[in-house]
């Protein structure tokens, strides 16, 4: 496992107190962040930014970059850069998360999706920090399905962490636990999927209820009978929103 203990001069008080992962030293991160802030900053569109911020319920400020523009700029930023080590991934993601504008967070999410295979189970605390810092569905869902899911698939011992997350009071960790198997298809641990849904069946928050329906709906593309049978037994325990979402791919109502 890669040790993510390098510290930059910009370490925060929270990191010094052990409440957030320390940012490793990384020449690659220095290069990428320099390119990134210059490229994104030069292309910022202040006229678009307020509407984008409002759409995301004021979760974070925006530069005003549309998705196609941002992705094209990201390609330019990363052109010619080498494949990262795990410590580079941590440094890039954590440093992006320190920047206020949401597009930098999106860059980090896209980077981790691309390079999750370079990361070991030791990377999970970094992802946990990203999930619980400036959290909203736009970053949480992609991190859960593509990064957390990839890490757990590579190291099944991390299912113990998912078992802890589904019990956590932080709704975004619970949502991530529900969604981490979203792309597993035939590899889905059905007992764990259904068990997680039951554990949070009475949750009051919209985002957890929606996630229950979403993960069941996605698994129904693989085994609709299993989802139908599960809800036939348990649907009275779930909010109507969860049931409606879950049954969209089953032919049931």
């Amino acid at each position: 496992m890669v040790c993510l203990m390098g510290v930059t001069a910009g370490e925060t008080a929270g990191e010094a107190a052990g409440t957030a992962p320390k940012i490793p030293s990384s020449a690659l991160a220095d290069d990428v962040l320099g390119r990134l802030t210059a490229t994104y900053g030069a292309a910022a569109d202040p006229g678009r930014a307020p509407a984008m911020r409002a759409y995301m319920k004021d979760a974070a400020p925006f530069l005003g970059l549309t998705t196609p523009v941002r992705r094209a700029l990201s390609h330019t930023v990363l052109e010619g850069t080498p494949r990262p080590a795990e410590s580079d991934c941590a440094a890039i993601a954590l440093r992006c998360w320190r920047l206020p504008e949401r597009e930098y967070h999106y860059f980090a999410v896209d980077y981790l999706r691309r390079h999750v295979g370079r990361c070991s189970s030791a990377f999970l605390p970094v992802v946990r920090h990203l999930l619980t810092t400036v959290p909203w569905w736009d970053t949480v869902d992609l991190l859960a399905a593509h990064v957390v899911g990839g890490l757990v698939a590579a190291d099944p011992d991390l299912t113990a962490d998912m078992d802890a997350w589904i019990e956590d009071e932080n709704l975004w960790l619970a949502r991530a636990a529900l969604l981490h198997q979203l792309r597993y298809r035939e590899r889905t641990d059905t007992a764990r999927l259904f068990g997680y849904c039951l554990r949070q069946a009475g949750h009051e928050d919209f985002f957890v209820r929606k996630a229950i329906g979403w993960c069941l709906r996605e698994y129904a593309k693989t085994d609709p009978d299993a989802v139908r049978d599960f809800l036939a037994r348990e649907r009275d325990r779930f909010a109507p929103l969860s049931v409606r979402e879950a049954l969209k791919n089953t032919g049931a109502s």
Side-chain angles (χ1 to χ4, degrees):
M1 293 183 181
V2 177
C3 180
L4 304 179
M5 297 302 292
V7 183
T8 67
E11 182 182 63
T12 66
E15 288 166 338
T19 57
K22 294 179 179 178
I23 301 177
S25 298
S26 165
L28 178 58
D30 293 342
D31 183 29
V32 169
L33 267 291
R35 296 187 190 190
L36 178 64
T37 52
T39 302
Y40 274 24
D45 185 347
R48 290 182 178 272
M52 297 172 74
R53 182 170 186 162
Y55 179 72
M56 287 299 168
K57 305 298 184 184
D58 206 31
F62 279 77
L63 293 168
L65 303 178
T66 65
T67 299
V69 169
R70 176 174 57 79
R71 287 177 175 165
L73 294 173
S74 296
H75 179 77
T76 299
V77 168
L78 293 173
E79 188 173 6
T81 59
R83 296 176 69 188
E86 179 173 327
S87 57
D88 298 319
C89 291
I92 288 170
L94 292 169
R95 287 175 64 176
C96 282
W97 234 258
R98 282 184 165 184
L99 298 172
E101 292 84 8
R102 199 58 160 176
E103 288 91 341
Y104 295 119
H105 305 171
Y106 295 158
F107 177 90
V109 171
D110 289 345
Y111 195 81
L112 294 183
R113 288 176 64 182
R114 181 178 178 183
H115 295 296
V116 64
R118 309 283 294 172
C119 300
S120 73
S121 56
F123 195 74
L124 191 65
V126 173
V127 187
R128 189 186 194 281
H129 175 73
L130 305 182
L131 289 167
T132 56
T133 305
V134 200
W136 197 240
W137 63 265
D138 55 339
T139 55
V140 167
D141 293 357
L142 292 173
L143 288 169
H146 296 274
V147 183
V148 178
L151 293 173
V152 176
D155 181 3
D157 286 346
L158 292 181
T159 55
D161 293 87
M162 298 301 100
D163 292 346
W165 285 14
I166 195 63
E167 302 281 352
D168 201 284
E169 293 182 357
N170 186 299
L171 71 92
W172 300 109
L173 289 180
R175 183 171 169 104
L178 286 162
L179 298 180
H180 85 275
Q181 296 193 84
L182 207 62
R183 302 172 68 242
Y184 282 18
R185 301 184 178 89
E186 293 83 2
R187 297 180 293 116
T188 299
D189 181 338
T190 310
R192 184 166 267 106
L193 172 66
F194 292 164
Y196 283 8
C197 291
L198 288 171
R199 172 65 185 83
Q200 292 294 351
H203 203 288
E204 297 180 354
D205 190 88
F206 166 85
F207 286 104
V208 174
R209 293 181 176 186
K210 184 80 169 183
I212 290 169
W214 184 12
C215 64
L216 292 175
R217 183 182 79 221
E218 194 65 23
Y219 184 59
K221 296 177 182 178
T222 298
D223 192 345
D225 290 338
V227 174
R228 277 195 298 264
D229 291 347
F230 172 66
L231 288 174
R233 298 190 307 270
E234 308 289 357
R235 70 180 293 161
D236 289 346
R237 299 176 61 177
F238 293 102
L241 168 65
S242 300
V243 175
R244 286 196 306 271
E245 288 291 319
L247 293 177
K248 285 182 178 178
N249 291 327
T250 67
S253 59

